[in-house]
Amino acid sequence: SMKKWQMKNNQLPVLFVARKNDPCITNEKEFDKAVSLLKKVGYQHVSSKLFEHMQHEILNEKNKKYVYQYILKHLKSWSN
């Protein structure tokens, strides 16, 4: 709910990453709602990515290199 959010730093970058179809995100629509909520409350730099063909622990998967590369790309862009 937007009522519970207080904007502290609208420049704080936020990156959502998860496995597509992961039961922990409920479903893709709910994942998108979480991303949209942070944008609505005023965060300026919100990004998201759902990774396909992976299990729940995307940072420990066989193809984890792609996840880490994606995160690193965002970290570098935020530091510029």
Side-chain angles (χ1 to χ4, degrees):
S1 161
M2 289 180 59
K3 294 177 186 178
K4 296 178 184 178
W5 283 90
Q6 291 183 345
M7 178 55 57
K8 300 284 183 178
N9 177 1
N10 72 341
Q11 296 302 308
L12 178 71
V14 179
L15 176 61
F16 286 85
V17 293
R19 175 195 107 178
K20 191 170 185 154
N21 300 320
D22 190 330
C24 291
I25 64 167
T26 308
N27 57 47
E28 195 169 340
K29 183 178 177 182
E30 293 299 316
F31 180 85
D32 291 340
K33 282 171 57 176
V35 173
S36 294
L37 175 67
L38 288 189
K39 290 178 180 180
K40 283 181 187 175
V41 298
Y43 286 94
Q44 300 295 307
H45 307 286
V46 180
S47 304
S48 64
K49 171 85 171 159
L50 290 172
F51 290 89
E52 294 190 50
H53 311 295
M54 297 185 123
Q55 298 299 314
H56 169 69
E57 293 188 30
I58 61 174
L59 297 177
N60 293 318
E61 287 294 306
K62 186 167 88 174
N63 294 327
K64 65 186 173 192
K65 171 178 79 173
Y66 301 109
V67 179
Y68 280 104
Q69 286 173 341
Y70 184 83
I71 293 169
L72 182 60
K73 180 182 94 173
H74 277 78
L75 288 172
K76 286 180 178 180
S77 74
W78 295 337
S79 67
N80 293 335

